mmCIF file of all heavy atoms in Angstrom:
data_model
loop_
_atom_site.group_PDB
_atom_site.id
_atom_site.type_symbol
_atom_site.label_atom_id
_atom_site.label_comp_id
_atom_site.label_asym_id
_atom_site.label_seq_id
_atom_site.Cartn_x
_atom_site.Cartn_y
_atom_site.Cartn_z
ATOM 1 N N GLY A 5 114.898 101.493 110.988
ATOM 2 C CA GLY A 5 114.143 100.635 111.897
ATOM 3 C C GLY A 5 113.084 99.823 111.177
ATOM 4 O O GLY A 5 112.890 98.635 111.470
ATOM 5 N N THR A 6 112.409 100.454 110.220
ATOM 6 C CA THR A 6 111.377 99.741 109.464
ATOM 7 C C THR A 6 112.001 98.624 108.636
ATOM 8 O O THR A 6 111.515 97.484 108.653
ATOM 9 C CB THR A 6 110.599 100.720 108.563
ATOM 10 O OG1 THR A 6 110.012 101.743 109.375
ATOM 11 C CG2 THR A 6 109.495 100.011 107.795
ATOM 12 N N VAL A 7 113.083 98.929 107.931
ATOM 13 C CA VAL A 7 113.742 97.913 107.103
ATOM 14 C C VAL A 7 114.269 96.772 107.975
ATOM 15 O O VAL A 7 114.111 95.593 107.640
ATOM 16 C CB VAL A 7 114.864 98.550 106.247
ATOM 17 C CG1 VAL A 7 115.722 97.492 105.584
ATOM 18 C CG2 VAL A 7 114.261 99.495 105.209
ATOM 19 N N LYS A 8 114.857 97.114 109.095
ATOM 20 C CA LYS A 8 115.420 96.108 110.007
ATOM 21 C C LYS A 8 114.332 95.153 110.529
ATOM 22 O O LYS A 8 114.575 93.966 110.734
ATOM 23 C CB LYS A 8 116.112 96.802 111.180
ATOM 24 C CG LYS A 8 116.705 95.863 112.193
ATOM 25 C CD LYS A 8 117.336 96.625 113.341
ATOM 26 C CE LYS A 8 117.790 95.673 114.425
ATOM 27 N NZ LYS A 8 118.202 96.396 115.627
ATOM 28 N N ASN A 9 113.138 95.670 110.748
ATOM 29 C CA ASN A 9 112.046 94.882 111.339
ATOM 30 C C ASN A 9 110.976 94.501 110.321
ATOM 31 O O ASN A 9 109.845 94.179 110.696
ATOM 32 C CB ASN A 9 111.421 95.679 112.488
ATOM 33 C CG ASN A 9 112.386 95.868 113.624
ATOM 34 O OD1 ASN A 9 112.669 94.940 114.363
ATOM 35 N ND2 ASN A 9 112.929 97.070 113.755
ATOM 36 N N LEU A 10 111.326 94.506 109.051
ATOM 37 C CA LEU A 10 110.351 94.299 107.981
ATOM 38 C C LEU A 10 109.577 92.986 108.103
ATOM 39 O O LEU A 10 108.360 92.972 107.919
ATOM 40 C CB LEU A 10 111.067 94.373 106.628
ATOM 41 C CG LEU A 10 110.254 94.820 105.438
ATOM 42 C CD1 LEU A 10 109.520 96.109 105.695
ATOM 43 C CD2 LEU A 10 111.156 94.959 104.224
ATOM 44 N N ASN A 11 110.253 91.903 108.428
ATOM 45 C CA ASN A 11 109.553 90.613 108.525
ATOM 46 C C ASN A 11 108.474 90.639 109.603
ATOM 47 O O ASN A 11 107.350 90.191 109.384
ATOM 48 C CB ASN A 11 110.547 89.472 108.778
ATOM 49 C CG ASN A 11 111.408 89.188 107.568
ATOM 50 O OD1 ASN A 11 111.021 89.457 106.438
ATOM 51 N ND2 ASN A 11 112.595 88.657 107.804
ATOM 52 N N SER A 12 108.812 91.157 110.762
ATOM 53 C CA SER A 12 107.853 91.247 111.864
ATOM 54 C C SER A 12 106.682 92.173 111.506
ATOM 55 O O SER A 12 105.524 91.868 111.786
ATOM 56 C CB SER A 12 108.572 91.761 113.111
ATOM 57 O OG SER A 12 107.653 92.080 114.119
ATOM 58 N N ILE A 13 107.011 93.287 110.872
ATOM 59 C CA ILE A 13 105.983 94.255 110.460
ATOM 60 C C ILE A 13 105.049 93.624 109.434
ATOM 61 O O ILE A 13 103.818 93.745 109.544
ATOM 62 C CB ILE A 13 106.648 95.542 109.912
ATOM 63 C CG1 ILE A 13 107.363 96.283 111.048
ATOM 64 C CG2 ILE A 13 105.632 96.432 109.214
ATOM 65 C CD1 ILE A 13 108.313 97.376 110.596
ATOM 66 N N ASP A 14 105.615 92.953 108.444
ATOM 67 C CA ASP A 14 104.781 92.309 107.424
ATOM 68 C C ASP A 14 103.890 91.228 108.026
ATOM 69 O O ASP A 14 102.740 91.063 107.606
ATOM 70 C CB ASP A 14 105.648 91.745 106.300
ATOM 71 C CG ASP A 14 106.176 92.836 105.367
ATOM 72 O OD1 ASP A 14 105.758 94.002 105.501
ATOM 73 O OD2 ASP A 14 107.015 92.499 104.506
ATOM 74 N N GLU A 15 104.387 90.505 109.011
ATOM 75 C CA GLU A 15 103.554 89.508 109.700
ATOM 76 C C GLU A 15 102.345 90.188 110.343
ATOM 77 O O GLU A 15 101.237 89.647 110.313
ATOM 78 C CB GLU A 15 104.372 88.766 110.750
ATOM 79 C CG GLU A 15 105.345 87.766 110.180
ATOM 80 C CD GLU A 15 106.250 87.140 111.240
ATOM 81 O OE1 GLU A 15 105.920 87.196 112.445
ATOM 82 O OE2 GLU A 15 107.294 86.603 110.841
ATOM 83 N N ASP A 16 102.559 91.364 110.939
ATOM 84 C CA ASP A 16 101.445 92.101 111.544
ATOM 85 C C ASP A 16 100.425 92.527 110.493
ATOM 86 O O ASP A 16 99.219 92.461 110.729
ATOM 87 C CB ASP A 16 101.949 93.336 112.298
ATOM 88 C CG ASP A 16 102.548 92.991 113.645
ATOM 89 O OD1 ASP A 16 102.149 91.967 114.237
ATOM 90 O OD2 ASP A 16 103.412 93.747 114.116
ATOM 91 N N ILE A 17 100.901 92.955 109.341
ATOM 92 C CA ILE A 17 99.976 93.346 108.276
ATOM 93 C C ILE A 17 99.173 92.122 107.830
ATOM 94 O O ILE A 17 97.942 92.179 107.742
ATOM 95 C CB ILE A 17 100.734 93.962 107.079
ATOM 96 C CG1 ILE A 17 101.404 95.282 107.478
ATOM 97 C CG2 ILE A 17 99.768 94.197 105.900
ATOM 98 C CD1 ILE A 17 102.349 95.855 106.427
ATOM 99 N N ILE A 18 99.861 91.029 107.569
ATOM 100 C CA ILE A 18 99.211 89.808 107.086
ATOM 101 C C ILE A 18 98.142 89.325 108.078
ATOM 102 O O ILE A 18 97.042 88.947 107.677
ATOM 103 C CB ILE A 18 100.263 88.706 106.817
ATOM 104 C CG1 ILE A 18 101.131 89.107 105.623
ATOM 105 C CG2 ILE A 18 99.611 87.351 106.602
ATOM 106 C CD1 ILE A 18 102.411 88.312 105.484
ATOM 107 N N LYS A 19 98.445 89.390 109.370
ATOM 108 C CA LYS A 19 97.489 88.951 110.408
ATOM 109 C C LYS A 19 96.187 89.735 110.353
ATOM 110 O O LYS A 19 95.138 89.207 110.716
ATOM 111 C CB LYS A 19 98.093 89.140 111.804
ATOM 112 C CG LYS A 19 98.922 87.997 112.288
ATOM 113 C CD LYS A 19 99.215 88.135 113.765
ATOM 114 C CE LYS A 19 100.471 88.945 113.952
ATOM 115 N NZ LYS A 19 100.951 89.014 115.318
ATOM 116 N N HIS A 20 96.257 90.985 109.907
ATOM 117 C CA HIS A 20 95.080 91.847 109.966
ATOM 118 C C HIS A 20 94.410 92.084 108.614
ATOM 119 O O HIS A 20 93.432 92.829 108.538
ATOM 120 C CB HIS A 20 95.453 93.175 110.634
ATOM 121 C CG HIS A 20 95.876 92.978 112.056
ATOM 122 N ND1 HIS A 20 97.182 92.818 112.436
ATOM 123 C CD2 HIS A 20 95.143 92.860 113.189
ATOM 124 C CE1 HIS A 20 97.248 92.631 113.729
ATOM 125 N NE2 HIS A 20 96.031 92.641 114.222
ATOM 126 N N LEU A 21 94.922 91.439 107.573
ATOM 127 C CA LEU A 21 94.261 91.540 106.274
ATOM 128 C C LEU A 21 92.983 90.708 106.304
ATOM 129 O O LEU A 21 92.990 89.564 106.736
ATOM 130 C CB LEU A 21 95.168 91.018 105.154
ATOM 131 C CG LEU A 21 96.348 91.889 104.750
ATOM 132 C CD1 LEU A 21 97.226 91.154 103.742
ATOM 133 C CD2 LEU A 21 95.882 93.216 104.189
ATOM 134 N N THR A 22 91.889 91.282 105.850
ATOM 135 C CA THR A 22 90.629 90.547 105.829
ATOM 136 C C THR A 22 90.430 89.825 104.509
ATOM 137 O O THR A 22 89.620 88.914 104.416
ATOM 138 C CB THR A 22 89.435 91.484 106.094
ATOM 139 O OG1 THR A 22 89.458 92.542 105.136
ATOM 140 C CG2 THR A 22 89.493 92.045 107.500
ATOM 141 N N GLN A 23 91.141 90.261 103.479
ATOM 142 C CA GLN A 23 91.089 89.570 102.189
ATOM 143 C C GLN A 23 92.385 89.817 101.428
ATOM 144 O O GLN A 23 93.058 90.802 101.650
ATOM 145 C CB GLN A 23 89.893 90.025 101.361
ATOM 146 C CG GLN A 23 89.908 91.514 101.037
ATOM 147 C CD GLN A 23 88.628 91.948 100.353
ATOM 148 O OE1 GLN A 23 87.584 91.329 100.525
ATOM 149 N NE2 GLN A 23 88.716 93.002 99.576
ATOM 150 N N GLY A 24 92.709 88.886 100.566
ATOM 151 C CA GLY A 24 93.916 89.023 99.768
ATOM 152 C C GLY A 24 95.176 88.716 100.553
ATOM 153 O O GLY A 24 95.137 88.251 101.690
ATOM 154 N N THR A 25 96.302 88.966 99.895
ATOM 155 C CA THR A 25 97.607 88.713 100.492
ATOM 156 C C THR A 25 98.390 90.020 100.558
ATOM 157 O O THR A 25 97.965 91.036 100.011
ATOM 158 C CB THR A 25 98.399 87.694 99.647
ATOM 159 O OG1 THR A 25 98.695 88.294 98.370
ATOM 160 C CG2 THR A 25 97.629 86.399 99.436
ATOM 161 N N LEU A 26 99.543 89.958 101.166
ATOM 162 C CA LEU A 26 100.406 91.132 101.250
ATOM 163 C C LEU A 26 100.779 91.635 99.851
ATOM 164 O O LEU A 26 100.871 92.839 99.627
ATOM 165 C CB LEU A 26 101.661 90.801 102.062
ATOM 166 C CG LEU A 26 102.596 91.971 102.368
ATOM 167 C CD1 LEU A 26 101.896 93.018 103.227
ATOM 168 C CD2 LEU A 26 103.846 91.483 103.066
ATOM 169 N N GLU A 27 100.948 90.714 98.913
ATOM 170 C CA GLU A 27 101.294 91.088 97.541
ATOM 171 C C GLU A 27 100.165 91.856 96.860
ATOM 172 O O GLU A 27 100.402 92.574 95.889
ATOM 173 C CB GLU A 27 101.664 89.848 96.717
ATOM 174 C CG GLU A 27 102.980 89.214 97.122
ATOM 175 C CD GLU A 27 102.919 88.443 98.448
ATOM 176 O OE1 GLU A 27 101.844 87.905 98.816
ATOM 177 O OE2 GLU A 27 103.951 88.408 99.133
ATOM 178 N N ASP A 28 98.933 91.709 97.358
ATOM 179 C CA ASP A 28 97.790 92.423 96.782
ATOM 180 C C ASP A 28 97.710 93.876 97.256
ATOM 181 O O ASP A 28 96.998 94.679 96.657
ATOM 182 C CB ASP A 28 96.476 91.717 97.143
ATOM 183 C CG ASP A 28 96.394 90.322 96.548
ATOM 184 O OD1 ASP A 28 96.929 90.111 95.439
ATOM 185 O OD2 ASP A 28 95.813 89.433 97.202
ATOM 186 N N VAL A 29 98.432 94.200 98.320
ATOM 187 C CA VAL A 29 98.425 95.562 98.859
ATOM 188 C C VAL A 29 99.358 96.411 97.998
ATOM 189 O O VAL A 29 100.484 96.011 97.704
ATOM 190 C CB VAL A 29 98.892 95.573 100.337
ATOM 191 C CG1 VAL A 29 98.920 96.992 100.885
ATOM 192 C CG2 VAL A 29 97.991 94.680 101.180
ATOM 193 N N GLY A 30 98.877 97.586 97.593
ATOM 194 C CA GLY A 30 99.682 98.476 96.771
ATOM 195 C C GLY A 30 100.965 98.889 97.488
ATOM 196 O O GLY A 30 101.007 98.950 98.723
ATOM 197 N N SER A 31 102.000 99.173 96.719
ATOM 198 C CA SER A 31 103.300 99.507 97.312
ATOM 199 C C SER A 31 103.254 100.769 98.170
ATOM 200 O O SER A 31 103.917 100.841 99.202
ATOM 201 C CB SER A 31 104.359 99.654 96.221
ATOM 202 O OG SER A 31 104.660 98.393 95.677
ATOM 203 N N VAL A 32 102.487 101.776 97.764
ATOM 204 C CA VAL A 32 102.395 103.000 98.565
ATOM 205 C C VAL A 32 101.681 102.698 99.875
ATOM 206 O O VAL A 32 102.146 103.080 100.960
ATOM 207 C CB VAL A 32 101.675 104.135 97.800
ATOM 208 C CG1 VAL A 32 101.444 105.340 98.698
ATOM 209 C CG2 VAL A 32 102.464 104.545 96.565
ATOM 210 N N GLU A 33 100.561 102.000 99.780
ATOM 211 C CA GLU A 33 99.803 101.650 100.973
ATOM 212 C C GLU A 33 100.637 100.776 101.913
ATOM 213 O O GLU A 33 100.644 100.977 103.118
ATOM 214 C CB GLU A 33 98.510 100.919 100.588
ATOM 215 C CG GLU A 33 97.483 101.775 99.894
ATOM 216 C CD GLU A 33 97.686 101.936 98.386
ATOM 217 O OE1 GLU A 33 98.731 101.481 97.851
ATOM 218 O OE2 GLU A 33 96.806 102.527 97.744
ATOM 219 N N LYS A 34 101.363 99.829 101.331
ATOM 220 C CA LYS A 34 102.219 98.944 102.119
ATOM 221 C C LYS A 34 103.309 99.754 102.833
ATOM 222 O O LYS A 34 103.607 99.516 103.999
ATOM 223 C CB LYS A 34 102.857 97.899 101.198
ATOM 224 C CG LYS A 34 103.409 96.698 101.900
ATOM 225 C CD LYS A 34 104.072 95.720 100.930
ATOM 226 C CE LYS A 34 103.231 95.395 99.733
ATOM 227 N NZ LYS A 34 103.924 94.502 98.781
ATOM 228 N N SER A 35 103.881 100.723 102.130
ATOM 229 C CA SER A 35 104.930 101.553 102.722
ATOM 230 C C SER A 35 104.388 102.385 103.884
ATOM 231 O O SER A 35 105.033 102.512 104.930
ATOM 232 C CB SER A 35 105.540 102.473 101.655
ATOM 233 O OG SER A 35 106.147 101.695 100.643
ATOM 234 N N ILE A 36 103.190 102.929 103.721
ATOM 235 C CA ILE A 36 102.562 103.708 104.792
ATOM 236 C C ILE A 36 102.284 102.805 105.989
ATOM 237 O O ILE A 36 102.571 103.170 107.137
ATOM 238 C CB ILE A 36 101.273 104.402 104.289
ATOM 239 C CG1 ILE A 36 101.623 105.471 103.245
ATOM 240 C CG2 ILE A 36 100.493 105.020 105.463
ATOM 241 C CD1 ILE A 36 100.417 106.022 102.493
ATOM 242 N N LEU A 37 101.724 101.640 105.734
ATOM 243 C CA LEU A 37 101.439 100.688 106.819
ATOM 244 C C LEU A 37 102.709 100.256 107.532
ATOM 245 O O LEU A 37 102.746 100.203 108.768
ATOM 246 C CB LEU A 37 100.727 99.447 106.267
ATOM 247 C CG LEU A 37 99.239 99.570 106.034
ATOM 248 C CD1 LEU A 37 98.730 98.357 105.265
ATOM 249 C CD2 LEU A 37 98.500 99.718 107.353
ATOM 250 N N ARG A 38 103.739 99.938 106.765
ATOM 251 C CA ARG A 38 104.990 99.498 107.382
ATOM 252 C C ARG A 38 105.560 100.568 108.309
ATOM 253 O O ARG A 38 105.994 100.263 109.421
ATOM 254 C CB ARG A 38 106.005 99.129 106.295
ATOM 255 C CG ARG A 38 105.697 97.817 105.620
ATOM 256 C CD ARG A 38 106.588 97.569 104.433
ATOM 257 N NE ARG A 38 106.486 96.189 103.960
ATOM 258 C CZ ARG A 38 106.974 95.777 102.800
ATOM 259 N NH1 ARG A 38 107.596 96.618 101.992
ATOM 260 N NH2 ARG A 38 106.847 94.520 102.444
ATOM 261 N N LEU A 39 105.561 101.789 107.834
ATOM 262 C CA LEU A 39 106.086 102.881 108.658
ATOM 263 C C LEU A 39 105.249 103.050 109.921
ATOM 264 O O LEU A 39 105.786 103.134 111.030
ATOM 265 C CB LEU A 39 106.120 104.186 107.864
ATOM 266 C CG LEU A 39 106.533 105.423 108.650
ATOM 267 C CD1 LEU A 39 107.929 105.267 109.235
ATOM 268 C CD2 LEU A 39 106.454 106.652 107.769
ATOM 269 N N ALA A 40 103.937 103.087 109.772
ATOM 270 C CA ALA A 40 103.060 103.286 110.927
ATOM 271 C C ALA A 40 103.191 102.146 111.928
ATOM 272 O O ALA A 40 103.253 102.380 113.143
ATOM 273 C CB ALA A 40 101.609 103.436 110.463
#
Protein backbone atom coordinates (compact mmCIF):
# COMPACT_ATOMS: atom_id res chain seq x y z
CA GLY A 1 0.00 0.00 0.00
CA THR A 2 2.81 2.41 0.82
CA VAL A 3 4.66 1.71 -2.42
CA LYS A 4 1.45 1.96 -4.45
CA ASN A 5 0.62 5.37 -2.92
CA LEU A 6 4.18 6.71 -2.71
CA ASN A 7 3.61 9.83 -4.82
CA SER A 8 0.62 10.94 -2.75
CA ILE A 9 2.45 10.15 0.50
CA ASP A 10 5.54 12.08 -0.57
CA GLU A 11 3.37 15.07 -1.49
CA ASP A 12 2.02 15.03 2.08
CA ILE A 13 5.53 14.97 3.50
CA ILE A 14 6.67 17.81 1.23
CA LYS A 15 3.63 19.95 2.22
CA HIS A 16 4.59 19.72 5.88
CA LEU A 17 8.35 20.19 5.67
CA THR A 18 9.33 23.48 7.28
CA GLN A 19 12.80 23.48 5.73
CA GLY A 20 14.70 21.57 3.11
CA THR A 21 13.37 19.14 0.54
CA LEU A 22 12.29 15.53 0.58
CA GLU A 23 15.79 14.58 -0.58
CA ASP A 24 17.17 16.17 2.62
CA VAL A 25 15.17 13.77 4.80
CA GLY A 26 17.16 10.70 5.81
CA SER A 27 16.08 7.40 4.25
CA VAL A 28 15.16 5.81 7.60
CA GLU A 29 13.14 8.83 8.67
CA LYS A 30 11.50 9.00 5.25
CA SER A 31 10.58 5.31 5.46
CA ILE A 32 9.03 5.76 8.91
CA LEU A 33 7.07 8.81 7.72
CA ARG A 34 5.88 7.06 4.58
CA LEU A 35 4.61 4.09 6.52
CA ALA A 36 2.88 6.23 9.15
